[in-house]
Amino acid sequence: MPTIKEVAKKANVSVSVVSKSFNNYKDVKEETRQRIFAVAKELNYSPNINAKNLSSKKRMTIGLISSGVLNDNVKDSNAFDIFKGVYRAVADSRFDLSINLIDSKRQTQQSYVQYCRERNIGGAILQGIRIDDQYYKELIDTSLPCVVLDIMNESDNGMIGSVSIDNAKAAREIAAYLLERNHRDIVVMAGTPETYVNKERIKGVEEALQSCGLDLEGLTVLEAGFSEEQAYLLAKEYLQEQQPTAFLCFSDLMAIGVMKAVKEAGLKIPEDISVTGFDDLVFCSYTEPALTTIRQDFIEIGKNAAQLLQAIKENNAVKQHVWIEHQLMERDSVKTLAD
């Protein structure tokens, strides 16, 4: 295992400067700090701050590593519900739990293994990771047990598990729900292209359209990055030129943005335009009208993730991916059109 002296030598700095960089001292120049991080990553070095405790520590720490949660809309309770589910599964086990918040930039400063080793994490649950994130790219070769959420594990690495609903199936169901009610001019308000769930939901919508013999070339997809504000702006701009019969949104937050734009355009929901969401956040039954959406049980997702991680750690995992059931919540935001 590389030492701090080796990092200092290769980065052409003193040992104390390396130590200060990893402890975020402000008297180290950012250029120097980044050079040290790059060398440390190359050498696979991380400060072993827990070394003196490791020999006596009998309980393994499970790390819930959540990316981007600090940027989430305050209305979005998904991450917190996942936290609750993980905690419920870990609370009575022989494992400890640590919650770690990161972003994409942080992932470039330390490798996934380095990040976990520095915090004495023996297994991790990764939430909010995108398929273009650095940590996701590193998972294929990891020897550290981990479970990713909302990404289907297709690796043959036995140390990786995954938990999610069947996003393609759920999107297919809600698209079919609109089609069965004679909607043909449907606008898809999609999320972030680089996310696995977005790709799967697009796939599900396309499958529903194809099953009805509809041409995919006519499908309008607006990419709002799962942002309420961006969905509002895109819908507002679109409605200045055209009026679809329905918006199919890949998140409830985007649906809220769309509903705002529809109402500001002087149109009624669902009389003029129908709107659907995805997630079933707590406010969905209180919107006006109440929002038809796909329900995900995020607490159950978190609970199953922790249980799967423990099974992988103990070599008892009988499957590497766990499907969580979803449910179509039919409310008042969709109108059945005349034939």
Side-chain angles (χ1 to χ4, degrees), residues 280-327:
D280 196 29
L281 298 179
V282 66
F283 58 76
C284 289
S285 58
Y286 300 103
T287 58
E288 183 57 45
L291 183 64
T292 293
T293 187
I294 291 290
R295 182 176 188 272
Q296 296 195 69
D297 190 336
F298 292 102
I299 293 178
E300 193 67 15
I301 288 173
K303 178 182 175 182
N304 276 266
Q307 292 172 340
L308 179 58
L309 180 61
Q310 293 175 45
I312 292 173
K313 179 67 177 177
E314 297 170 349
N315 297 315
N316 291 327
V318 295
K319 50 188 174 182
Q320 296 301 116
H321 183 82
V322 175
W323 295 108
I324 303 299
E325 292 296 320
H326 63 270
Q327 183 179 1

Side-chain angles (χ1 to χ4, degrees), residues 101-118:
L101 307 182
I102 61 170
D103 54 28
S104 296
K105 180 181 178 181
R106 182 67 178 270
Q107 295 177 43
T108 65
Q109 297 175 348
Q110 282 183 299
S111 71
Y112 166 65
V113 172
Q114 285 175 315
Y115 185 92
C116 292
R117 181 187 298 157
E118 180 179 328

Side-chain angles (χ1 to χ4, degrees), residues 139-171:
L139 292 183
I140 191 70
D141 298 317
T142 186
S143 58
L144 187 74
C146 66
V147 171
V148 289
L149 304 184
D150 282 333
I151 297 177
M152 176 66 178
N153 170 37
E154 298 177 346
S155 166
D156 58 1
N157 184 342
M159 303 303 286
I160 305 173
S162 51
V163 178
S164 73
I165 67 165
D166 188 333
N167 282 280
K169 181 180 179 182

